[in-house]
Amino acid sequence: MIYLDNSATTKPRKEVMDTFVKANEAFYANPASLHGMGVEAERLLTGARQQIGKLLLTEAENIYFTSGGTESNNMAIFGIARANKKRGRHVMTSVIEHPSILESFKQLEREGFEVDYLSVNRNGQVSLQELESKLRQDTILVSIMHVNNEIGTIQPIAEIAEVIHSHSRAYFHSDCVQSFGKLPVNFEGVGPDAITVSGHKINGLKGTGLLAFRHKIPFEPLLFGGGQESGMRSGTVSVPNAASLAKAMRLSVEENRSSNFQKWKKELISFFSHYEFIRIITPYESAPHILSISFRGIKGEVLVNALERQNIYVSTSSACSSRNTKTSHVIGAIHMEDEFVNGVIRISFGLYTTDDDIEDFKSAFLQAISIIKGEHL
């Protein structure tokens, strides 16, 4: 089996699983409890928070554990916007964000906020000039992802932050779910005020994630209850989840495989470039682990199914919307030619990808195309 759908999710590392199991066995007490077992659980939770704080170059108290990317993104958008609405009701994002961002902004619109959606060029990048022109004195929040999950575009986060902070009082949030562990992601230098990370994208566990801040900012929680996570996210904290996330994040930084990803991406770009019916969608300067291509006259799901019959797993654009028959909003935003719109597949490398996997993929691809073309003739 060759798994090339790592942007959708990744196989958990054994070390991460071991940390999760051991923490459940030995530190299952409620970390808010005052007895000795609770104190030990709290100590492990604090250690995980401190370890992540060191990775992200922020204070441990600025790390808040969540159930994953969607919750973290919702928490950031609503928490920042609602807490700062006395300063203004203008917010901004881009047209190619993850649905957990776009749907949150649609809800803000229903609540009376004014939303501007930044367009992108054919490579999927926002325009710094458009961003600057749309910033206002009453802009309170801008959210722009670091790496696009469908086509791998890298946004110029530092430059975006510089524009936002120079021309407004807005806070800047960035969805770093696809970039953490592949590109440098931390609070060093100019950058976002808040970032989102998801465990299952970095060989961690589903149901783990975080929202991290550069520094304390006005914020309104989504969940109310016992006041856990400094009142930012009430509910009993899963110590095993937090410990496993810290382990996954540390290992993904220490054992960065981006050079391998980049090598395979260049190799496949060269391979696909020989075929006139294939278009490379992913920009050349992009995230190392994502390669999106499209076919003229072949539907993406047809090729996905053909490859699966050879035990190779890729996806059509984003797994978050691949079961939806509508054209991806990302593909629509980059204005791809109509003849290529329905033929998109996404290949994404991961920790367990090998050189042999890439060679086997090429052979399987050629066989699948031969069969499909034959069926079309």
Side-chain angles (χ1 to χ4, degrees):
M1 188 269 285
I2 297 174
Y3 183 75
L4 294 172
D5 195 19
N6 290 277
S7 286
T9 195
T10 57
K11 179 182 178 180
R13 292 175 184 260
K14 183 180 185 304
E15 302 96 317
V16 173
M17 295 288 288
D18 288 344
T19 294
F20 178 76
V21 171
K22 290 176 182 177
N24 268 299
E25 290 175 342
F27 300 94
Y28 57 84
N30 191 322
S33 296
L34 298 180
H35 51 64
M37 290 180 66
V39 171
E40 288 299 311
E42 172 63 25
R43 186 173 292 124
L44 181 60
L45 181 62
T46 298
R49 207 183 303 274
Q50 290 173 339
Q51 187 177 122
I52 293 171
K54 289 178 181 178
L55 289 173
L56 297 181
L57 302 179
T58 189
E59 297 298 321
E61 63 187 19
N62 294 330
I63 307 297
Y64 301 97
F65 294 110
T66 70
S67 64
T70 291
E71 183 190 345
S72 295
N73 284 338
N74 274 251
M75 187 173 168
I77 301 308
F78 293 120
I80 296 173
R82 291 169 178 169
N84 291 276
K85 61 186 178 183
K86 289 184 179 179
R87 294 199 295 113
R89 286 178 171 266
H90 180 242
V91 293
M92 201 181 311
T93 189
S94 85
V95 295
I96 63 166
E97 299 297 309
H98 188 271
S100 61
I101 295 287
L102 293 176
E103 293 302 317
S104 294
F105 274 90
K106 288 179 183 178
Q107 177 58 33
L108 287 182
E109 286 188 270
R110 289 189 284 269
E111 294 178 14
F113 288 85
E114 184 180 350
V115 182
D116 267 321
Y117 296 91
L118 298 171
S119 61
V120 295
N121 61 21
R122 292 183 69 86
N123 286 329
Q125 277 198 332
V126 299
S127 162
L128 296 178
Q129 290 72 30
E130 183 187 8
L131 170 64
E132 181 178 339
S133 71
K134 290 186 175 179
L135 285 169
R136 307 182 336 203
Q137 284 300 308
D138 62 340
T139 306
I140 57 173
L141 171 65
V142 179
S143 182
I144 298 175
M145 67 189 349
H146 191 184
V147 167
N148 184 263
N149 53 303
E150 295 193 28
I151 61 176
T153 299
I154 302 173
Q155 301 294 351
I157 292 299
E159 291 88 344
I160 289 171
E162 181 66 36
V163 170
I164 292 170
H165 294 144
S166 297
H167 295 86
S168 75
R169 297 182 298 160
Y171 294 110
F172 176 29
H173 164 259
S174 185
D175 175 351
C176 295
V177 166
Q178 288 292 343
S179 59
F180 188 87
K182 290 88 176 176
L183 301 174
V185 174
N186 55 55
F187 289 109
E188 183 178 24
V190 178
D193 300 295
I195 63 173
T196 294
V197 177
S198 177
H200 78 101
K201 305 292 188 178
I202 53 172
N203 303 100
L205 303 180
K206 294 174 181 63
T208 65
L210 61 80
L211 174 62
F213 293 91
R214 179 182 293 270
H215 45 69
K216 295 294 182 184
I217 65 175
F219 189 89
E220 183 177 302
L222 289 180
L223 301 177
F224 298 88
Q228 291 86 350
E229 294 293 279
S230 301
M232 298 277 271
R233 184 185 186 268
S234 290
T236 302
V237 181
S238 172
V239 176
N241 278 10
S244 71
L245 177 61
K247 176 65 73 69
M249 291 178 68
R250 179 175 63 81
L251 291 177
S252 69
V253 171
E254 292 177 352
E255 302 177 13
N256 190 295
R257 304 295 177 89
S258 293
S259 60
N260 285 339
F261 300 163
Q262 197 69 259
K263 178 186 71 173
W264 295 326
K265 188 173 78 169
K266 290 180 179 179
E267 185 178 330
L268 287 179
I269 287 175
S270 176
F271 171 74
F272 290 128
S273 296
H274 290 96
Y275 302 95
E276 54 84 23
F277 60 92
I278 298 177
R279 173 174 168 183
I280 308 296
I281 303 173
T282 296
Y284 187 77
E285 295 294 333
S286 57
H289 63 301
I290 296 174
L291 176 59
S292 285
I293 60 176
S294 188
F295 302 83
R296 183 174 59 235
I298 302 174
K299 287 188 176 181
E301 56 264 33
V302 172
L303 186 54
V304 168
N305 292 334
L307 289 171
E308 183 178 356
R309 287 194 285 271
Q310 299 184 64
N311 222 17
I312 295 177
Y313 295 87
V314 298
S315 66
T316 55
S317 60
S318 170
C320 298
S321 58
S322 60
R323 293 184 185 277
N324 192 325
T325 57
K326 295 181 180 179
T327 301
S328 155
H329 68 288
V330 176
I331 299 304
I334 62 175
H335 302 296
M336 199 162 64
E337 297 89 337
D338 289 344
E339 59 186 339
F340 286 102
V341 164
N342 295 319
V344 179
I345 70 167
R346 181 186 64 183
I347 302 158
S348 46
F349 316 117
L351 176 66
Y352 300 107
T353 307
T354 66
D355 288 334
D356 288 342
D357 288 344
I358 302 304
E359 290 304 313
D360 289 344
F361 168 81
K362 292 179 190 176
S363 299
F365 170 83
L366 292 176
Q367 184 176 342
I369 288 295
S370 176
I371 293 171
I372 293 169
K373 288 285 189 180
E375 290 176 351
H376 282 200
L377 293 177

mmCIF file of all heavy atoms in Angstrom, residues 145-149 153-155 157 174-186 195-198 201-202 252-253 256 258 287-290:
data_model
loop_
_atom_site.group_PDB
_atom_site.id
_atom_site.type_symbol
_atom_site.label_atom_id
_atom_site.label_comp_id
_atom_site.label_asym_id
_atom_site.label_seq_id
_atom_site.Cartn_x
_atom_site.Cartn_y
_atom_site.Cartn_z
ATOM 1 N N MET A 145 -4.284 31.963 5.784
ATOM 2 C CA MET A 145 -3.559 30.721 6.025
ATOM 3 C C MET A 145 -2.110 30.821 5.554
ATOM 4 O O MET A 145 -1.787 31.581 4.632
ATOM 5 C CB MET A 145 -4.270 29.546 5.354
ATOM 6 C CG MET A 145 -4.256 29.610 3.852
ATOM 7 S SD MET A 145 -5.296 28.384 2.976
ATOM 8 C CE MET A 145 -5.819 27.207 4.168
ATOM 9 N N HIS A 146 -1.244 30.029 6.155
ATOM 10 C CA HIS A 146 0.168 30.012 5.778
ATOM 11 C C HIS A 146 0.368 29.208 4.495
ATOM 12 O O HIS A 146 0.959 29.693 3.528
ATOM 13 C CB HIS A 146 0.995 29.406 6.922
ATOM 14 C CG HIS A 146 2.471 29.582 6.759
ATOM 15 N ND1 HIS A 146 3.381 29.037 7.631
ATOM 16 C CD2 HIS A 146 3.206 30.227 5.825
ATOM 17 C CE1 HIS A 146 4.614 29.357 7.236
ATOM 18 N NE2 HIS A 146 4.527 30.069 6.142
ATOM 19 N N VAL A 147 -0.136 27.971 4.486
ATOM 20 C CA VAL A 147 -0.029 27.092 3.312
ATOM 21 C C VAL A 147 -1.402 26.592 2.942
ATOM 22 O O VAL A 147 -2.143 26.101 3.799
ATOM 23 C CB VAL A 147 0.912 25.896 3.593
ATOM 24 C CG1 VAL A 147 0.774 24.822 2.510
ATOM 25 C CG2 VAL A 147 2.364 26.364 3.686
ATOM 26 N N ASN A 148 -1.743 26.716 1.661
ATOM 27 C CA ASN A 148 -3.042 26.228 1.221
ATOM 28 C C ASN A 148 -3.063 24.705 1.172
ATOM 29 O O ASN A 148 -2.158 24.077 0.622
ATOM 30 C CB ASN A 148 -3.407 26.791 -0.146
ATOM 31 C CG ASN A 148 -4.791 26.363 -0.582
ATOM 32 O OD1 ASN A 148 -4.944 25.401 -1.323
ATOM 33 N ND2 ASN A 148 -5.812 27.045 -0.082
ATOM 34 N N ASN A 149 -4.105 24.122 1.723
ATOM 35 C CA ASN A 149 -4.197 22.669 1.845
ATOM 36 C C ASN A 149 -4.472 21.965 0.532
ATOM 37 O O ASN A 149 -4.238 20.763 0.407
ATOM 38 C CB ASN A 149 -5.294 22.295 2.851
ATOM 39 C CG ASN A 149 -6.625 22.953 2.527
ATOM 40 O OD1 ASN A 149 -6.726 24.164 2.436
ATOM 41 N ND2 ASN A 149 -7.660 22.139 2.362
ATOM 42 N N THR A 153 0.161 26.514 -2.002
ATOM 43 C CA THR A 153 0.652 27.890 -2.064
ATOM 44 C C THR A 153 1.092 28.375 -0.691
ATOM 45 O O THR A 153 0.389 28.186 0.302
ATOM 46 C CB THR A 153 -0.446 28.831 -2.595
ATOM 47 O OG1 THR A 153 -0.815 28.421 -3.912
ATOM 48 C CG2 THR A 153 0.033 30.272 -2.617
ATOM 49 N N ILE A 154 2.262 29.014 -0.642
ATOM 50 C CA ILE A 154 2.754 29.622 0.591
ATOM 51 C C ILE A 154 2.450 31.120 0.544
ATOM 52 O O ILE A 154 2.845 31.806 -0.394
ATOM 53 C CB ILE A 154 4.273 29.425 0.752
ATOM 54 C CG1 ILE A 154 4.634 27.936 0.743
ATOM 55 C CG2 ILE A 154 4.757 30.085 2.050
ATOM 56 C CD1 ILE A 154 6.136 27.676 0.724
ATOM 57 N N GLN A 155 1.749 31.609 1.544
ATOM 58 C CA GLN A 155 1.494 33.044 1.617
ATOM 59 C C GLN A 155 2.678 33.737 2.302
ATOM 60 O O GLN A 155 3.300 33.170 3.207
ATOM 61 C CB GLN A 155 0.211 33.331 2.406
ATOM 62 C CG GLN A 155 -1.042 32.705 1.835
ATOM 63 C CD GLN A 155 -1.438 33.264 0.468
ATOM 64 O OE1 GLN A 155 -0.875 34.243 -0.010
ATOM 65 N NE2 GLN A 155 -2.419 32.628 -0.163
ATOM 66 N N ILE A 157 3.735 35.386 4.850
ATOM 67 C CA ILE A 157 3.174 35.699 6.162
ATOM 68 C C ILE A 157 3.847 36.906 6.817
ATOM 69 O O ILE A 157 3.170 37.768 7.388
ATOM 70 C CB ILE A 157 3.272 34.457 7.077
ATOM 71 C CG1 ILE A 157 2.334 33.354 6.565
ATOM 72 C CG2 ILE A 157 2.924 34.809 8.522
ATOM 73 C CD1 ILE A 157 0.870 33.757 6.549
ATOM 74 N N SER A 174 -3.222 33.199 11.631
ATOM 75 C CA SER A 174 -2.860 32.366 10.484
ATOM 76 C C SER A 174 -3.083 30.892 10.797
ATOM 77 O O SER A 174 -2.628 30.377 11.823
ATOM 78 C CB SER A 174 -1.390 32.582 10.102
ATOM 79 O OG SER A 174 -1.075 31.871 8.918
ATOM 80 N N ASP A 175 -3.791 30.235 9.902
ATOM 81 C CA ASP A 175 -4.005 28.790 9.958
ATOM 82 C C ASP A 175 -2.711 28.126 9.469
ATOM 83 O O ASP A 175 -2.399 28.157 8.285
ATOM 84 C CB ASP A 175 -5.195 28.440 9.064
ATOM 85 C CG ASP A 175 -5.442 26.942 8.944
ATOM 86 O OD1 ASP A 175 -4.610 26.150 9.396
ATOM 87 O OD2 ASP A 175 -6.481 26.579 8.365
ATOM 88 N N CYS A 176 -1.972 27.532 10.395
ATOM 89 C CA CYS A 176 -0.689 26.905 10.068
ATOM 90 C C CYS A 176 -0.773 25.382 10.095
ATOM 91 O O CYS A 176 0.248 24.694 10.285
ATOM 92 C CB CYS A 176 0.387 27.390 11.031
ATOM 93 S SG CYS A 176 0.754 29.154 10.902
ATOM 94 N N VAL A 177 -1.971 24.864 9.904
ATOM 95 C CA VAL A 177 -2.181 23.419 9.956
ATOM 96 C C VAL A 177 -1.329 22.678 8.929
ATOM 97 O O VAL A 177 -0.762 21.618 9.221
ATOM 98 C CB VAL A 177 -3.689 23.100 9.760
ATOM 99 C CG1 VAL A 177 -3.901 21.622 9.457
ATOM 100 C CG2 VAL A 177 -4.472 23.496 11.009
ATOM 101 N N GLN A 178 -1.217 23.224 7.713
ATOM 102 C CA GLN A 178 -0.457 22.536 6.667
ATOM 103 C C GLN A 178 1.025 22.904 6.667
ATOM 104 O O GLN A 178 1.811 22.253 5.975
ATOM 105 C CB GLN A 178 -1.057 22.837 5.287
ATOM 106 C CG GLN A 178 -2.377 22.157 5.018
ATOM 107 C CD GLN A 178 -2.264 20.649 4.898
ATOM 108 O OE1 GLN A 178 -1.187 20.094 4.707
ATOM 109 N NE2 GLN A 178 -3.400 19.966 5.010
ATOM 110 N N SER A 179 1.411 23.927 7.386
ATOM 111 C CA SER A 179 2.808 24.365 7.327
ATOM 112 C C SER A 179 3.659 23.888 8.484
ATOM 113 O O SER A 179 4.871 23.683 8.321
ATOM 114 C CB SER A 179 2.880 25.896 7.246
ATOM 115 O OG SER A 179 2.254 26.500 8.359
ATOM 116 N N PHE A 180 3.060 23.688 9.658
ATOM 117 C CA PHE A 180 3.877 23.300 10.797
ATOM 118 C C PHE A 180 4.545 21.950 10.537
ATOM 119 O O PHE A 180 3.914 20.995 10.093
ATOM 120 C CB PHE A 180 3.059 23.209 12.091
ATOM 121 C CG PHE A 180 3.938 22.991 13.296
ATOM 122 C CD1 PHE A 180 4.494 24.069 13.950
ATOM 123 C CD2 PHE A 180 4.244 21.704 13.722
ATOM 124 C CE1 PHE A 180 5.346 23.872 15.026
ATOM 125 C CE2 PHE A 180 5.092 21.501 14.794
ATOM 126 C CZ PHE A 180 5.650 22.582 15.446
ATOM 127 N N GLY A 181 5.844 21.881 10.802
ATOM 128 C CA GLY A 181 6.605 20.658 10.580
ATOM 129 C C GLY A 181 7.192 20.544 9.194
ATOM 130 O O GLY A 181 8.005 19.659 8.931
ATOM 131 N N LYS A 182 6.762 21.433 8.280
ATOM 132 C CA LYS A 182 7.309 21.452 6.919
ATOM 133 C C LYS A 182 8.051 22.760 6.653
ATOM 134 O O LYS A 182 9.049 22.780 5.944
ATOM 135 C CB LYS A 182 6.207 21.290 5.868
ATOM 136 C CG LYS A 182 5.578 19.898 5.805
ATOM 137 C CD LYS A 182 4.427 19.786 6.753
ATOM 138 C CE LYS A 182 3.704 18.448 6.646
ATOM 139 N NZ LYS A 182 2.626 18.332 7.649
ATOM 140 N N LEU A 183 7.549 23.847 7.231
ATOM 141 C CA LEU A 183 8.171 25.166 7.119
ATOM 142 C C LEU A 183 8.383 25.706 8.538
ATOM 143 O O LEU A 183 7.735 25.250 9.483
ATOM 144 C CB LEU A 183 7.258 26.112 6.339
ATOM 145 C CG LEU A 183 6.879 25.728 4.910
ATOM 146 C CD1 LEU A 183 5.856 26.713 4.372
ATOM 147 C CD2 LEU A 183 8.097 25.671 4.015
ATOM 148 N N PRO A 184 9.276 26.677 8.698
ATOM 149 C CA PRO A 184 9.429 27.286 10.029
ATOM 150 C C PRO A 184 8.135 27.956 10.466
ATOM 151 O O PRO A 184 7.583 28.784 9.739
ATOM 152 C CB PRO A 184 10.548 28.319 9.801
ATOM 153 C CG PRO A 184 11.293 27.827 8.606
ATOM 154 C CD PRO A 184 10.260 27.195 7.721
ATOM 155 N N VAL A 185 7.640 27.573 11.628
ATOM 156 C CA VAL A 185 6.418 28.172 12.176
ATOM 157 C C VAL A 185 6.672 28.486 13.646
ATOM 158 O O VAL A 185 6.791 27.579 14.472
ATOM 159 C CB VAL A 185 5.212 27.224 12.050
ATOM 160 C CG1 VAL A 185 3.994 27.821 12.771
ATOM 161 C CG2 VAL A 185 4.870 26.952 10.592
ATOM 162 N N ASN A 186 6.782 29.768 13.963
ATOM 163 C CA ASN A 186 6.926 30.207 15.344
ATOM 164 C C ASN A 186 6.676 31.715 15.391
ATOM 165 O O ASN A 186 6.371 32.335 14.376
ATOM 166 C CB ASN A 186 8.300 29.841 15.921
ATOM 167 C CG ASN A 186 9.443 30.368 15.075
ATOM 168 O OD1 ASN A 186 9.514 31.567 14.796
ATOM 169 N ND2 ASN A 186 10.342 29.479 14.667
ATOM 170 N N ILE A 195 -1.769 31.569 15.908
ATOM 171 C CA ILE A 195 -1.643 30.507 14.909
ATOM 172 C C ILE A 195 -2.376 29.257 15.361
ATOM 173 O O ILE A 195 -2.581 29.019 16.548
ATOM 174 C CB ILE A 195 -0.173 30.153 14.605
ATOM 175 C CG1 ILE A 195 0.513 29.600 15.857
ATOM 176 C CG2 ILE A 195 0.576 31.345 14.039
ATOM 177 C CD1 ILE A 195 1.917 29.081 15.583
ATOM 178 N N THR A 196 -2.737 28.456 14.375
ATOM 179 C CA THR A 196 -3.446 27.199 14.597
ATOM 180 C C THR A 196 -2.569 26.030 14.160
ATOM 181 O O THR A 196 -1.939 26.095 13.105
ATOM 182 C CB THR A 196 -4.739 27.188 13.756
ATOM 183 O OG1 THR A 196 -5.618 28.194 14.255
ATOM 184 C CG2 THR A 196 -5.432 25.843 13.804
ATOM 185 N N VAL A 197 -2.543 24.970 14.974
ATOM 186 C CA VAL A 197 -1.809 23.742 14.641
ATOM 187 C C VAL A 197 -2.724 22.554 14.909
ATOM 188 O O VAL A 197 -3.497 22.555 15.873
ATOM 189 C CB VAL A 197 -0.514 23.605 15.474
ATOM 190 C CG1 VAL A 197 0.192 22.280 15.170
ATOM 191 C CG2 VAL A 197 0.429 24.771 15.213
ATOM 192 N N SER A 198 -2.634 21.532 14.055
ATOM 193 C CA SER A 198 -3.445 20.309 14.214
ATOM 194 C C SER A 198 -2.544 19.086 14.310
ATOM 195 O O SER A 198 -1.622 18.927 13.509
ATOM 196 C CB SER A 198 -4.404 20.158 13.031
ATOM 197 O OG SER A 198 -5.132 18.951 13.130
ATOM 198 N N LYS A 201 -2.138 16.179 11.325
ATOM 199 C CA LYS A 201 -1.415 16.520 10.103
ATOM 200 C C LYS A 201 0.090 16.313 10.254
ATOM 201 O O LYS A 201 0.830 16.401 9.275
ATOM 202 C CB LYS A 201 -1.663 17.977 9.709
ATOM 203 C CG LYS A 201 -3.118 18.371 9.570
ATOM 204 C CD LYS A 201 -3.809 17.710 8.391
ATOM 205 C CE LYS A 201 -5.202 18.316 8.200
ATOM 206 N NZ LYS A 201 -5.904 17.749 7.033
ATOM 207 N N ILE A 202 0.557 16.045 11.474
ATOM 208 C CA ILE A 202 1.990 15.906 11.738
ATOM 209 C C ILE A 202 2.284 14.577 12.439
ATOM 210 O O ILE A 202 3.143 14.501 13.312
ATOM 211 C CB ILE A 202 2.523 17.092 12.565
ATOM 212 C CG1 ILE A 202 1.686 17.297 13.834
ATOM 213 C CG2 ILE A 202 2.545 18.361 11.737
ATOM 214 C CD1 ILE A 202 2.263 18.333 14.788
ATOM 215 N N SER A 252 8.259 16.353 14.725
ATOM 216 C CA SER A 252 8.094 16.857 13.359
ATOM 217 C C SER A 252 9.096 17.966 13.056
ATOM 218 O O SER A 252 9.496 18.147 11.902
ATOM 219 C CB SER A 252 6.665 17.347 13.127
ATOM 220 O OG SER A 252 6.400 18.518 13.874
ATOM 221 N N VAL A 253 9.494 18.699 14.083
ATOM 222 C CA VAL A 253 10.508 19.748 13.900
ATOM 223 C C VAL A 253 11.905 19.144 13.870
ATOM 224 O O VAL A 253 12.733 19.483 13.015
ATOM 225 C CB VAL A 253 10.399 20.808 15.016
ATOM 226 C CG1 VAL A 253 11.578 21.772 14.958
ATOM 227 C CG2 VAL A 253 9.088 21.570 14.904
ATOM 228 N N ASN A 256 12.565 16.831 10.476
ATOM 229 C CA ASN A 256 11.938 17.445 9.308
ATOM 230 C C ASN A 256 12.362 16.724 8.027
ATOM 231 O O ASN A 256 13.544 16.554 7.758
ATOM 232 C CB ASN A 256 12.348 18.925 9.246
ATOM 233 C CG ASN A 256 11.570 19.700 8.214
ATOM 234 O OD1 ASN A 256 11.692 19.443 7.027
ATOM 235 N ND2 ASN A 256 10.776 20.655 8.667
ATOM 236 N N SER A 258 11.416 17.722 4.914
ATOM 237 C CA SER A 258 11.064 18.593 3.794
ATOM 238 C C SER A 258 11.996 18.461 2.601
ATOM 239 O O SER A 258 11.579 18.630 1.460
ATOM 240 C CB SER A 258 11.024 20.053 4.257
ATOM 241 O OG SER A 258 9.957 20.243 5.162
ATOM 242 N N ALA A 287 4.755 24.796 -0.769
ATOM 243 C CA ALA A 287 5.035 23.860 0.318
ATOM 244 C C ALA A 287 5.618 22.575 -0.253
ATOM 245 O O ALA A 287 5.158 22.095 -1.295
ATOM 246 C CB ALA A 287 3.761 23.571 1.099
ATOM 247 N N PRO A 288 6.619 21.989 0.391
ATOM 248 C CA PRO A 288 7.320 20.849 -0.190
ATOM 249 C C PRO A 288 6.503 19.571 -0.297
ATOM 250 O O PRO A 288 6.806 18.718 -1.132
ATOM 251 C CB PRO A 288 8.506 20.646 0.762
ATOM 252 C CG PRO A 288 8.063 21.237 2.062
ATOM 253 C CD PRO A 288 7.199 22.402 1.690
ATOM 254 N N HIS A 289 5.464 19.428 0.510
ATOM 255 C CA HIS A 289 4.784 18.139 0.612
ATOM 256 C C HIS A 289 3.531 18.013 -0.250
ATOM 257 O O HIS A 289 2.921 16.930 -0.290
ATOM 258 C CB HIS A 289 4.406 17.853 2.063
ATOM 259 C CG HIS A 289 3.425 18.829 2.654
ATOM 260 N ND1 HIS A 289 3.665 20.177 2.752
ATOM 261 C CD2 HIS A 289 2.192 18.633 3.198
ATOM 262 C CE1 HIS A 289 2.643 20.767 3.321
ATOM 263 N NE2 HIS A 289 1.723 19.861 3.589
ATOM 264 N N ILE A 290 3.131 19.083 -0.950
ATOM 265 C CA ILE A 290 1.875 19.060 -1.703
ATOM 266 C C ILE A 290 2.136 19.259 -3.191
ATOM 267 O O ILE A 290 2.853 20.179 -3.587
ATOM 268 C CB ILE A 290 0.913 20.153 -1.200
ATOM 269 C CG1 ILE A 290 0.501 19.888 0.246
ATOM 270 C CG2 ILE A 290 -0.336 20.230 -2.090
ATOM 271 C CD1 ILE A 290 -0.336 20.994 0.861
#
